[in-house]
Amino acid sequence: MKAVIVRTAKETRRPDGSFLKFDDNSAVLINNQLEPVGTRIFGPVARELRAKQFMKIISLAPEVL
């Protein structure tokens, strides 16, 4: 089973110089077609998923930071 990391407690640096840090670590399980296995995502996800073509995860998430 494959997964995509959507939140990390360790800060990540963005190209504009800002840092993004979440309270917990979280992942979304995906199938072989890179689509999420589940139908609900709780909590925010990082905006960087859009550049990696995980648009279905972005659309299911309640907030994109």
Side-chain angles (χ1 to χ4, degrees):
M1 184 78 35
K2 298 177 186 177
V4 175
I5 306 295
V6 294
R7 288 193 298 267
T8 60
K10 174 147 177 56
E11 69 244 357
T12 57
R13 186 179 177 106
R14 288 188 167 164
D16 64 356
S18 63
F19 288 94
L20 181 64
K21 180 179 177 180
F22 293 99
D23 292 335
D24 60 348
N25 297 321
S26 183
V28 174
L29 297 176
I30 57 174
N31 60 16
N32 291 332
Q33 290 78 30
L34 302 180
E35 295 176 353
V37 174
T39 58
R40 294 173 57 186
I41 295 177
F42 298 103
V45 297
R47 173 173 67 216
E48 285 77 8
L49 292 175
R50 187 179 309 271
K52 296 183 175 156
Q53 303 301 319
F54 290 109
M55 298 307 290
K56 184 69 173 177
I57 295 174
I58 296 270
S59 68
L60 290 173
E63 187 175 3
V64 179
L65 299 177

